[in-house]
Amino acid sequence: MTDGPALLRATGISKSFPGVRALDDVHLDLRPGEVLALVGENGAGKSTLLKLLSGIYRPDAGTMELDGAPMSPAGPRQANELGISVIHQEFHLMPDLTVAQNIFIGREPRRAGLIRDDELERRAAALFERLGIPLDPRQPVSHLSVAGQQMVEIAKALSFDARVLIMDEPTAALTETEVATLFRIVRDFVSPRTGVIYVSHRMEEIKEISDRITVLRDGRYVDTLPTATTETREVIAAMVGRQLETGVRPGPPDPGASDGGSGRDGSGHDTVLAVRGLSTRALLKDVSFELRRGEILGFAGLMGAGRTEVARAIIGADRSTGVVEVNGRPVTVRSPADAVRHGIGYLSEDRKRYGLLLDQDVVRNVMLSSLPGLTRGGFVRDADGRHVAKEMVDRLSIRTPSVAQRTKNLSGGNQQKVVLAKWLVRDCDVLIVDEPTRGIDVGAKDEIYTLLTALAAQGKSIIVISSELPEVLRLADRIVVMCEGRVTGTLANADADQHQIMELATRFGADRSLVTTGDPE
Amino acid sequence: MTTSGTTTAPRRTISFGNRQQLQQLLAFGGLVVIFVFFSVASPYFLDWANVKGILLATAVTGIMALGATLVIATGGIDLSVGTGMTLCSVMTGVFLANLGLPLVVGVLGGLAIGALIGLLNGLNVAYLRLPPFIATLAMMMVAQGLSLVISGTKPIYFSDVAGFGQLAGGELLPGLPNAVLIFFVAAVLAGVTLSKTLTGRYALSIGSNEEATAISGVDVRRWKVVIYVVAGLFTGLAGVVMASRLNSAQPGLGLGYELEAIAAVVIGGTSLRGGKATILGTVIGALIMATLTNGLRIMSIPQEWQKVAVGIVIVLAVYADMLRRGKEA
Amino acid sequence: MTTSGTTTAPRRTISFGNRQQLQQLLAFGGLVVIFVFFSVASPYFLDWANVKGILLATAVTGIMALGATLVIATGGIDLSVGTGMTLCSVMTGVFLANLGLPLVVGVLGGLAIGALIGLLNGLNVAYLRLPPFIATLAMMMVAQGLSLVISGTKPIYFSDVAGFGQLAGGELLPGLPNAVLIFFVAAVLAGVTLSKTLTGRYALSIGSNEEATAISGVDVRRWKVVIYVVAGLFTGLAGVVMASRLNSAQPGLGLGYELEAIAAVVIGGTSLRGGKATILGTVIGALIMATLTNGLRIMSIPQEWQKVAVGIVIVLAVYADMLRRGKEA
Amino acid sequence: SSGSGGAAPGTGDKPYVALVSKGFQHQFWQAVKQGADDAAAELDVEVTFEGPETETEVEKQLTMLQTALDKSPDAIGYAALDSEASIPMMTDAQSRGIPVIAFDSGVDSDVPVTTVSTDNLAASAEAAKHMAELVGSGKIAIVGHDQTSQTGQQRVEGFTQYIAENAPDIEIVDTQYAAGDQLKSADAAKAIMQAHPDLKGIYGTNEGSAIGVVKAVQESGRAGELTVIGFDSGKAQTDAIRDGLMAGAITQDPIKMGYETVKAAVAAIDGEEVEPVIDSGFYWYDETNIDDEEIAAVLYE
Ligand SMILES: Nc1ncnc2c1ncn2[C@@H]1O[C@H](COP(=O)(O)OP(=O)(O)OP(=O)(O)O)[C@@H](O)[C@H]1O
Ligand SMILES: Nc1ncnc2c1ncn2[C@@H]1O[C@H](COP(=O)(O)OP(=O)(O)OP(=O)(O)O)[C@@H](O)[C@H]1O
Ligand SMILES: [Mg+2]
Ligand SMILES: [Mg+2]
């Protein structure tokens, strides 16, 4: 670690939004040649800080320096020109444009005033080659999965000749293989004249990639710790302000133990949801499995394995063939509305697109799935809705100035909690949660695990789709592993370990890409 | 859960309800400015007779705009309100003047035709997935053609239908023409529909994020149909009021009213992107349009300059409104 | 849907370019169906004179629609194309007939007025952040009023301006009126602008995700102004062609053309949400509208039924087009 | 009716006359159409009739004329919205040997074999004459139906000219246009009345404008106080005259106009001589003569 002048330094930074003091006298310094992790709970102010560094917001107070010279980027473009490249938590992609067009937006090569798309595509292909990312430059971004979109963002950020690379939860949507690719890219990037700021809620990653860790809490600077000599437990303690039991896999739930009657009985009767021979034109091939009452069924697989597509097919968001039985009876599910009528709810991995009414407040979002139940005489009882929303805000510790805050203004993790709250209020018998903890901080994650486990204990049945193997192993009674649209194995938790899951998840037929075949719907 | 989670909790003291009311007050402020200006500019402007005239001029377009607000809330658009209204007028004429059905039946029949128009729009938009612009543009043409076909391109007169003219022309509340009363009652109904019923809530949700609404288990297609049908009812009501005011159904009328109605909605602050809508705003928007036209006429501004003035004032009014809201938000 | 054994990854083999061409081919197919139908239904339809008539009828609206496509690509809308075109006609009349400027100067002047209209629209949309609907609605009124004011509500005739009538009416390519030629050349220019220049690329990008475009470092406001100005140039061109075709500037004309132009754009497959646009589609959309009207007239369908028929055919054409696209995608 | 049921017109053995008018959904044009249809039945020819939606749509009308020419009719009847603009097509018709009959207003060209029209200037002067007689002195106003079309302008021009020349005590204080839309005309008339409380009379230049004025007077409770003079007929207008809400109106003879147009067309097809101008005439009607046979014959419901 070099002890020279900081590559990038921010001092005394404050930033307020109406009703929220997002940052209060925060500082941060990034040294040349290091990866600095930035951690903190949901809403701690990480993304806000990064947006200040990249010129999207202006600080209310404080100074920023690059190489010892004061800097105040007037906008993202200027930040780029200064050598600061950012991967934001929320994607900033143009879905109708191609991958290549997205990456080089604002920097189109031209001849005689005309854009040279061939050159654009060539450059993008070269970039992907260099980074080892399997993307087709000519694919429209709207055809990519969340993971694919994330890779586009990464490629875009690296397409600049940047000295400082800032990444805000780049791995939230990625599986371990892609994470490995990303880390390789990061390591290639770091040199004595460059540096990386890396935000993540995944402690293992931080341990693996970072040199130092800066911790924020409630918009305030807490500490900066050297990774090598710091225990994960200490980092978390600094984040939440107290000791917390977390970050350790507590081991699989004991299938034998019965929690008094309605408990989690992974071993037998009462199949709530049975799926047989589910196929879609795009990807799925003959997917079959059963979900039992009180069970948590995990779905593991690599990016693009088809887990999300299974969920979408079950709830009727995409067309499919095959049989879905609810409580032993075959049902026809043509739309998510039908699914909810049959007691099946689905929390999407893509909260911005399929989860939130961004322009509306927390109350309306939380009420959305349950509106008919919140009416009397045909009229919506808003007071009840507000009440329910407040309850959820407390229960899930959603950090928001009030339940009347538009969800657009919440931090990423808090948005995710709002989506979860919506489904908790709806109280479905079968809940399919797709990447339920995407962007959620360690402490809250643990809370959500407890919550899901408690739901199962009450007799609800839950499917957890997750790209984090520890999460699946932590929660699931049984684990379905998919590869390329097929189920390649179903394991009882007791028998499962990461190695075995990975083996099943990589039983490929041929090569794979981040590209999907079917438009959603 | 994490302890410190909600320490930064509710610092905002003004509640959401109040904030929204404030916004509408400001749009209302624009209207007031226009009112004050004309009152000073012309001694005749503030006469109750003239104000009544403005209100009457607002009524029909205003009622159409109410329905259009619901559709626009979903992020859609309804180009068929103008000629659709005409078709409802004509059909009311057929029911009452030609077939001699009882008054109530004829009026309900007119509303039903409006609902039918809405139903077809809704089915085309929701199930055939046509862009609302296309679906309602087609309906605009079809309704225009059918009005002419059904009426034989001749007005249908209600002279022999006892009491029909009173529907809009009478004064249940002394001094206030029924057409205006109907408009206000319709506005209240539309307001309640938008903010208190599932129809309105889902309209806003669909407009805000259709995919998320669908994934949340809302039967988006069915509700879209419902929304268009409700909007159609307002079109029908506008048709009946129009017919009653003219005491005749004029089959050639109607084209161009759709733009006026949509303009009222947008000036009122409802976003064409969907997700944000306000009925009070629409009422104010419709009043602003009618007041402007009336005031400029009262001042005997030449017709050609009136257009220019209205255009400029609309830009100013909306911009000022946005400025104020921007500051306040 | 059955399993088709496509287990390997990049299953989509057709490239994006080809796919889009295919889509446009299908919209084109719709036009062909209409053409074939009328050819069989009427002996006069396929006459070159009549086809020429259709092309002529397409030209002015078509040129306006080209500009509107660019604006719609950004997710905006331009209601001022119709009366804006009229103002450009009138100003061309002022330049040529009243002031007696040279032909080239007058024509360029007409285009410049179009650009000016676009500039004002663009500034209002980009810098005052007015919704495009409001900004261009206001401009629609202002342009209408100014046309009347400037012309003294009387047509301006070009009878004494040598060669002006030839601009649209002459036949540089024997048999093909210049108006049509101009339309085609303009379409090619618009196509290149949309797909090969920064203006077009940023229009699509803004329409696709304005915020992301801004964050990517594109000066969204400036480019919006550029886009509206370019669209205004097409409005100006339409005005000049219209004036030349009528050999006069008709100040009362223009209202209603905006809806036709937008309809052509949307029928052609451009999304009002922005982000997706096709110039070839717009040309085909404009041709579909003109062909329908012409064919029904040639068949001497009563006028009132023509409206109904056009409405229904539009729904069918767009729906069929969507079905095919859906299958293909 | 227009259209001919079976095969497309022009394909049969009967001569085919295509009429392109200035409008089709107004009562006036429907009456013209009726006259044309009467003549068609009587003379055994095919007739089609169409026109744009408003009288500003010059280009639409030209397209209609173009399509009509493409159908190779034996004769064309044409009510030009703008005569200049149609000159190339007139020449085209001439070169193809298709006789053209101008109706409603003239075409600035020697192509048309005849013009069947109402003298709008004279007709509106007649309206002004009656207004002057009834009002005597004071303020009056006009609600026009179209600001840019020739007819629309002449209906105002003839009126104002007469007043200026013959009634110095009468002042025309305002002229507003409302596109012939009844509601909008009513709103406009009300605003004018509001601005001029001592207004004594209003003249509406077509059916829609006139009915709108009546509506305005009625709704402001000033029936009987103002002298309303209208133009054309229609049930609402004749009712208003019978009820004393309207002093009287000018009617043209649209049925005759349509009839004479077709008759002249047939004559031209047959190569007969046709008078260069056929005046279809106009009449003043009021409570006193509304039921006269001559008047009743030219009024339409
Ligand atoms: N545009 C905004 N308007 C209002 N409040 C905002 C806005 N952006 C952020 N905030 C608030 O600022 C605080 C910090 O948010 P920020 O997004 O920086 O958190 P974060 O640390 O990135 O959290 P997460 O881990 O959930 O992504 C939050 O309380 C959030 O609600
Ligand atoms: N919301 C969506 N929009 C577009 N495409 C999607 C969407 N969801 C899934 N897909 C596509 O469907 C294909 C099937 O992958 P799916 O998302 O089901 O896999 P997964 O196992 O959930 O993996 P991941 O979500 O990590 O990509 C993916 O290639 C993806 O591109
Ligand atoms: Mg964040
Ligand atoms: Mg997934």
Side-chain angles (χ1 to χ4, degrees), chain B residues 238-261:
Chain B
V240 171
V241 171
M242 178 74 135
S244 166
R245 247 201 100 187
L246 297 177
N247 217 10
S248 61
Q250 300 286 343
L253 221 85
L255 219 59
Y257 280 77
E258 69 286 341
L259 265 193
E260 274 180 49

Side-chain angles (χ1 to χ4, degrees), chain A residues 8 40 43 45 59 65 72 99 117 133 141 143 181 189 241 249 252 267 292 295 325 364 391 419 458 496 502 504:
Chain A
L8 182 70
E65 286 168 24
S72 59
V99 168
D117 271 303
I133 297 176
V141 161
H143 290 212
T181 307
F189 174 81
R249 179 183 168 195
S267 66
R292 300 161 193 160
E295 180 186 41
E325 287 177 11
R364 294 218 168 168
E391 240 175 58
V419 186
Q458 288 162 26
M502 283 313 287
L504 288 171

Side-chain angles (χ1 to χ4, degrees), chain A residues 142-145 147 283 302-309 312 349 353-354 467 515-516 520:
Chain A
S142 62
H143 290 212
L144 299 180
S145 68
L283 178 62
L302 298 178
M303 182 170 71
R307 298 159 299 163
T308 296
E309 197 149 313
R312 286 180 59 88
E349 63 184 340
R353 179 159 174 195
Y354 293 111
S467 300
V515 161
T516 172

Side-chain angles (χ1 to χ4, degrees), chain A residues 46-48 89 168-169 199 411-413:
Chain A
K46 305 179 292 294
S47 299
T48 305
Q89 182 174 17
D168 197 351
E169 300 194 34
V199 175
S411 79

Side-chain angles (χ1 to χ4, degrees), chain A residues 108 115 117 143 156 321, chain C residues 1 12 196 201-202 216:
Chain A
E108 291 79 2
I115 297 172
D117 271 303
H143 290 212
K156 183 175 172 185
T321 53
Chain C
M1 223 167 290
R12 175 169 283 147
K196 285 282 155 208
R201 179 62 50 83
Y202 295 154
S216 303

Side-chain angles (χ1 to χ4, degrees), chain A residues 49-375:
Chain A
L49 180 58
L50 302 186
K51 285 180 185 163
L52 291 168
L53 292 172
S54 58
I56 292 178
Y57 296 150
R58 303 292 189 83
D60 299 340
T63 56
M64 298 181 287
E65 286 168 24
L66 186 68
D67 272 336
M71 79 158 193
S72 59
R77 169 162 235 162
Q78 211 179 336
N80 276 335
E81 282 161 5
L82 288 168
I84 299 175
S85 198
V86 192
I87 300 165
H88 290 287
Q89 182 174 17
E90 305 300 340
F91 300 150
H92 294 293
L93 296 173
M94 284 64 76
D96 300 306
L97 302 191
T98 65
V99 168
Q101 289 171 349
N102 261 279
I103 288 176
F104 292 105
I105 184 82
R107 297 176 287 157
E108 291 79 2
R110 276 168 297 155
R111 184 186 291 143
L114 302 185
I115 297 172
R116 297 173 57 203
D117 271 303
D118 52 343
E119 169 71 10
L120 205 65
E121 281 156 17
R122 207 185 50 70
R123 285 190 198 173
L127 181 66
F128 296 155
E129 180 81 11
R130 175 160 74 83
L131 301 178
I133 297 176
L135 278 172
D136 175 0
R138 300 206 283 175
Q139 197 71 23
V141 161
S142 62
H143 290 212
L144 299 180
S145 68
V146 179
Q149 293 174 29
Q150 181 72 68
M151 297 310 268
V152 175
E153 286 281 16
I154 292 168
K156 183 175 172 185
L158 286 160
S159 70
F160 294 92
D161 181 26
R163 295 193 55 204
V164 178
L165 181 60
I166 297 178
M167 311 173 112
D168 197 351
E169 300 194 34
T171 56
L174 301 185
T175 56
E176 311 202 349
T177 326
E178 285 78 31
V179 172
T181 307
L182 178 68
F183 281 7
R184 185 176 47 69
I185 293 170
V186 168
R187 290 197 185 98
D188 286 352
F189 174 81
V190 175
S191 75
R193 58 179 287 276
T194 62
V196 174
I197 301 178
Y198 185 88
V199 175
S200 177
H201 291 298
R202 297 186 182 177
M203 291 302 152
E204 329 82 71
E205 290 178 359
I206 287 171
K207 198 94 199 151
E208 186 184 338
I209 195 78
S210 74
D211 301 305
R212 295 188 305 147
I213 305 169
T214 292
V215 184
L216 296 185
R217 184 166 73 231
D218 290 342
R220 291 195 191 83
Y221 175 82
V222 177
D223 205 356
T224 298
L225 311 158
T227 311
T229 59
T230 310
E231 294 274 339
T232 302
R233 199 171 348 103
E234 297 171 59
V235 178
I236 294 171
M239 277 168 60
V240 303
R242 69 188 162 98
Q243 291 293 326
L244 196 77
E245 271 311 311
T246 187
V248 216
R249 179 183 168 195
D254 181 357
S258 157
D259 336 62
S262 69
R264 304 186 51 183
D265 188 356
S267 66
H269 4 281
D270 267 13
T271 295
V272 179
L273 178 76
V275 171
R276 293 190 221 292
L278 196 70
S279 300
T280 63
R281 197 160 80 152
L283 178 62
L284 298 187
K285 220 187 153 200
D286 198 22
V287 171
S288 304
F289 64 90
E290 291 183 350
L291 174 68
R292 300 161 193 160
R293 181 170 318 285
E295 180 186 41
I296 297 181
L297 184 63
F299 267 71
L302 298 178
M303 182 170 71
R307 298 159 299 163
T308 296
E309 197 149 313
V310 167
R312 286 180 59 88
I314 292 173
I315 62 159
D318 293 330
R319 280 162 186 262
S320 61
T321 53
V323 181
V324 174
E325 287 177 11
V326 174
N327 292 322
R329 240 171 287 133
V331 294
T332 321
V333 180
R334 282 205 199 81
S335 68
D338 286 347
V340 169
R341 222 170 285 133
H342 291 296
I344 308 171
Y346 169 65
L347 181 147
S348 165
E349 63 184 340
D350 189 345
R351 61 172 168 260
K352 239 183 164 176
R353 179 159 174 195
Y354 293 111
L356 290 165
L357 309 175
L358 284 167
D359 286 331
Q360 299 200 15
D361 63 15
V362 174
V363 181
R364 294 218 168 168
N365 273 280
V366 170
M367 288 173 81
L368 182 57
S369 288
S370 325
L371 261 188
L374 287 165
T375 58

